[in-house]
Amino acid sequence: MSPTIVLEVETRFEEEERLDEFQKGVKHLCERGITKVPRKYILPALERPILTKKGDATTFKLPVIDFDQLQGPNRVHALKSLSKACEEYGFFQLINHGIACQSIVDMIEAGRKFFELSFEERSKYMSKDLRAPLDCHPLSDVLPYWPSSPTELRQAAVNYSEKTRFLYLMIVEAILESLGLVATTKDSDENDSDDHIKEFRDGSQLLVVNCYPSCPEPDLTLGIPPHSDYGFLTLLLQDEVKGLQIQHETRWVTVEPVPNSFVINVGDHLEIFSNGRYKSVLHRVLVNSLKSRISIASLHSLPFESMIRPSPKLINDANPRRYKDTDFASFIEYIASHEHRSKNFLESRRMS
Ligand code: OGA
Ligand code: NI
């Protein structure tokens, strides 16, 4: 079986199918020079972000994991930091990741050019079909459905998704080791660890290019409302513009962008797989009035048709099973029938 890779390009807030003037999506409205947020995007007062005069919130440094250290003689120490980050924050910043700067620049630039296309051109790729990813096929089959403009987008996305996929697999290996599911480095038995990682190699990857246009009234709305990610891990690349906030100790904190690094977070499937030890944390995105922002999220999990369950090795009398089995189809069903992607899906999988 070969891996499935889906590419999604999204203008946040979502573009609409009904194409009257106020329904063409925020980027289109911004191009027309609007000065007020359309009413449909205004959040109820309690859900709005609280911004400082400078237009942001407290910035926050995520725990840093050094990929070089993880692959070198300090692995045992780095694994401890990794599990602490996944338990306490659900997020970490990965530095020295080894992906060539050029692949990253090419991907961001191709994404940026896509969002500079005319509305008519971009709207060809709009889809509200939430079930579309379920019909996915190997890359060679889905490639024709990816945007063909700008011409470099497909090549950049193929290259970028291969690189991030490889990095993801290396991190999954570290995560399995940190959970005590494969032998530790010292007495490592390669076959054992290969068996575990095999399930992940054929997994699914969803590459989402997000564009957050600048917004005239950033205190009334959000680029993405609070949600957790469905998969095992998300590898997020943000440009230099702040916006990502995570919930930490009941507060919303803004993640400080660190050049040439990835923000990596635990998704619902890893929380379930680890039987609750690693946390899938709520996050959201602020918009600002000065700059537009681009981010690229690469969401990774097992194959779309796989069942996700707590690892049997992590369940015992002292630590009983805390989640029901789940699969990608039930997640899609859930979000199709609820308004926002949110943590509630994970709640719905908790055993009472
Ligand atoms: C997402 C997401 C954060 C960002 O796409 O799921 O949380 O900063 N993106 O764009
Ligand atoms: Ni997310």
Side-chain angles (χ1 to χ4, degrees):
M1 191 161 56
S2 40
T4 300
I5 305 177
V6 183
L7 175 66
E8 233 180 83
V9 277
E10 297 223 29
T11 307
R12 305 292 181 170
F13 329 85
E14 274 149 38
E15 311 245 11
E16 293 291 324
E17 276 163 66
R18 286 179 44 218
L19 299 181
D20 60 279
E21 198 60 9
F22 269 83
Q23 297 276 347
K24 286 189 182 177
V26 167
K27 182 158 192 308
H28 180 78
L29 294 171
C30 291
E31 280 158 5
R32 314 265 318 189
I34 57 152
T35 56
K36 294 224 163 289
V37 172
R39 186 176 303 181
K40 60 179 271 208
Y41 291 118
I42 298 182
L43 294 170
L46 285 175
E47 291 171 31
R48 292 178 201 164
I50 298 168
L51 305 179
T52 60
K53 283 215 186 76
K54 273 171 61 202
D56 57 18
T58 334
T59 59
F60 184 79
K61 288 194 173 51
L62 292 175
V64 173
I65 303 295
D66 185 330
F67 188 67
D68 264 356
Q69 300 273 316
L70 206 51
Q71 301 308 113
N74 284 336
R75 183 168 174 92
V76 173
H77 179 71
L79 286 174
K80 284 205 182 101
S81 312
L82 178 66
S83 59
K84 191 165 152 51
C86 293
E87 283 167 1
E88 292 177 13
Y89 298 81
F91 272 81
F92 58 91
Q93 197 100 43
L94 189 79
I95 59 165
N96 293 328
H97 50 71
I99 296 187
C101 196
Q102 198 60 46
S103 307
I104 291 175
V105 171
D106 287 352
M107 185 64 224
I108 296 233
E109 284 315 306
R112 205 185 299 281
K113 278 197 191 161
F114 175 83
F115 291 107
E116 283 166 9
L117 296 174
S118 67
F119 176 77
E120 282 65 30
E121 184 70 17
R122 278 183 294 125
S123 63
K124 287 186 204 155
Y125 304 107
M126 284 181 194
S127 162
K128 277 275 168 218
D129 185 2
L130 289 170
R131 285 174 186 78
L134 287 180
D135 303 324
C136 284
H137 303 285
L139 185 58
S140 50
D141 294 351
V142 291
L143 209 50
Y145 298 98
W146 289 12
S148 57
S149 182
T151 47
E152 60 272 38
L153 179 62
R154 286 184 185 175
Q155 189 50 49
V158 167
N159 180 21
Y160 181 80
S161 46
E162 279 171 7
K163 300 270 161 60
T164 43
R165 177 179 198 81
F166 181 75
L167 182 61
Y168 160 74
L169 288 170
M170 307 288 273
I171 300 166
V172 160
E173 235 169 309
I175 295 241
L176 294 176
E177 196 172 326
S178 75
L179 288 167
L181 296 175
V182 292
T184 53
T185 326
K186 271 190 233 141
D187 44 20
S188 137
D189 169 354
E190 294 218 337
N191 291 335
D192 186 21
S193 112
D194 275 3
D195 272 0
H196 272 91
I197 204 76
K198 197 174 171 322
E199 303 168 58
F200 290 90
R201 278 207 194 105
D202 296 331
S204 58
Q205 178 172 9
L206 177 63
L207 194 64
V208 187
V209 186
N210 294 303
C211 171
Y212 304 90
S214 59
C215 168
E217 296 175 299
D219 49 343
L220 297 183
T221 190
L222 286 166
I224 311 187
H227 68 283
S228 61
D229 294 345
Y230 76 89
F232 257 73
L233 289 175
T234 301
L235 275 56
L236 179 84
L237 193 67
Q238 45 175 352
D239 65 11
E240 71 295 347
V241 183
K242 278 184 261 192
L244 174 65
Q245 289 198 313
I246 72 166
Q247 199 162 57
H248 183 62
E249 293 169 350
T250 72
R251 284 185 315 143
W252 286 108
V253 292
T254 304
V255 174
E256 184 74 38
V258 174
N260 201 17
S261 73
F262 283 92
V263 171
I264 300 189
N265 64 294
V266 172
D268 295 351
H269 290 173
L270 178 51
E271 179 168 327
I272 294 172
F273 180 80
S274 70
N275 201 31
R277 184 167 149 196
Y278 289 173
K279 299 287 183 303
S280 174
V281 164
L282 281 182
H283 52 287
R284 65 183 192 181
V285 183
L286 303 178
V287 285
N288 74 82
S289 57
L290 300 174
K291 288 184 176 164
S292 66
R293 172 173 184 269
I294 294 240
S295 75
I296 297 171
S298 187
L299 290 83
H300 300 257
S301 192
L302 295 182
F304 285 124
E305 58 279 10
S306 288
M307 195 57 89
I308 314 290
R309 54 172 66 95
S311 169
K313 290 188 185 168
L314 298 177
I315 299 174
N316 51 43
D317 287 346
N319 190 11
R321 179 193 247 266
R322 294 170 62 186
Y323 303 86
K324 300 176 222 165
D325 288 2
T326 190
D327 60 4
F328 191 71
S330 49
F331 169 72
I332 293 291
E333 284 308 318
Y334 187 90
I335 54 170
S337 58
H338 293 74
E339 206 178 324
H340 293 308
R341 288 195 281 158
S342 76
K343 182 90 177 171
N344 296 342
F345 175 69
L346 191 55
E347 303 294 341
S348 78
R349 308 315 301 169
R350 278 223 168 90
M351 300 182 72
S352 46

